[in-house]
Amino acid sequence: MLFRSEWRASHDPIEDDPGKFCQAPGMPSLALGGADYPVEFVVTPRQVTILMELHQQVRRVFLDQAAHPAKPFPQRNGHSIGRFEGDTLVVDTTAIKAITFGSVPHSDRVHVVERIRAIDGGAALVNEVTITDPAMYTAPVVVHQYYKRAPAGSRMLEYECTEGMWIEHEESRSARARSEEHTSELQS
């Protein structure tokens, strides 16, 4: 990804991933991660609901809204509107709460467009995810995520994780940053 250098200097995309510490990643990470976990699409005329086993996340894609609200409430998964273009579900997501750590850091200016369609005769889905965030990336980022159909009789399980580690990690990361800042001041 084309991260801006300011972010790259202070963050480790592996060590600072909130999922490692039982924190739901939110969008756009949610669209790119979790392919190893079950995902279920519930389609109605007014809404597509996407249920994910990973962190028990729920996304709602409103099919009956032509535009996002004028003042949407920022949330980890943002506000999603969608439409079908032939056999492709096009999802437009804004109002995503800024999360400047993890595998897909982003500002509150991030805009995500997904194009989800069945492939291999319906045996799989491909999600083409385009992430645009001028505060974090030097250009739009396009990534493809693939999902295989679960075998018959499969079911989604409850996702469990050990909580409480994230706060300790953030305190440790802040201490490392302060230490590095102090060291650079001493060297000057």
Side-chain angles (χ1 to χ4, degrees), residues 15-35:
E15 291 302 315
D16 296 331
D17 188 338
K20 183 176 177 180
F21 302 95
C22 303
Q23 299 293 307
M27 284 293 288
S29 296
L30 193 60
L32 300 175

Side-chain angles (χ1 to χ4, degrees), residues 123-141:
L125 292 176
V126 62
N127 185 1
E128 178 186 280
V129 183
T130 302
I131 304 165
T132 304
D133 187 348
M136 292 299 287
Y137 301 103
T138 57
V141 178

Side-chain angles (χ1 to χ4, degrees), residues 43-48 61-65 81-84 89:
V43 181
T44 68
R46 296 182 57 209
Q47 173 177 300
V48 174
V61 180
F62 301 102
L63 301 175
D64 60 351
Q65 297 178 13
I81 57 175
R83 67 186 181 284
F84 281 95
L89 172 62

Side-chain angles (χ1 to χ4, degrees), residues 31-37 39 117 119-120 124-128 143-149:
L32 300 175
D36 295 335
Y37 292 89
V39 176
R117 63 184 173 84
I119 57 173
D120 298 334
L125 292 176
V126 62
N127 185 1
E128 178 186 280
V143 182
H144 292 86
Q145 179 68 287
Y146 296 88
Y147 299 93
K148 289 191 325 187
R149 181 182 294 276

Side-chain angles (χ1 to χ4, degrees), residues 27-122:
M27 284 293 288
S29 296
L30 193 60
L32 300 175
D36 295 335
Y37 292 89
V39 176
E40 181 179 341
F41 289 76
V42 180
V43 181
T44 68
R46 296 182 57 209
Q47 173 177 300
V48 174
T49 304
I50 304 170
L51 307 169
M52 304 186 83
E53 182 178 276
L54 180 64
H55 296 288
Q56 296 179 318
Q57 291 287 284
V58 176
R59 290 183 61 205
R60 289 176 179 78
V61 180
F62 301 102
L63 301 175
D64 60 351
Q65 297 178 13
H68 295 284
K71 291 187 175 184
F73 181 77
Q75 301 177 76
R76 280 188 184 255
N77 291 336
H79 183 271
S80 299
I81 57 175
R83 67 186 181 284
F84 281 95
E85 291 180 358
D87 63 352
T88 301
L89 172 62
V90 179
V91 181
D92 186 280
T93 305
T94 62
I96 301 170
K97 186 176 179 181
I99 299 177
T100 58
F101 48 78
S103 57
V104 188
H106 55 276
S107 74
D108 59 357
R109 295 169 55 196
V110 69
H111 180 215
V112 179
V113 176
E114 299 167 88
R115 299 182 62 78
I116 305 166
R117 63 184 173 84
I119 57 173
D120 298 334

Side-chain angles (χ1 to χ4, degrees), residues 145-187:
Q145 179 68 287
Y146 296 88
Y147 299 93
K148 289 191 325 187
R149 181 182 294 276
S154 296
R155 65 186 183 103
M156 208 175 286
L157 301 174
E158 187 173 311
Y159 183 84
E160 293 191 27
C161 196
T162 306
E163 297 180 14
M165 296 167 55
W166 180 249
I167 294 170
E168 291 174 21
H169 171 75
E170 280 299 282
E171 289 171 352
S172 172
R173 189 169 68 79
S174 294
R176 282 193 318 265
R178 284 191 304 273
S179 174
E180 290 171 5
E181 188 174 285
H182 179 71
T183 301
S184 81
E185 287 175 1
L186 291 175
Q187 292 174 351

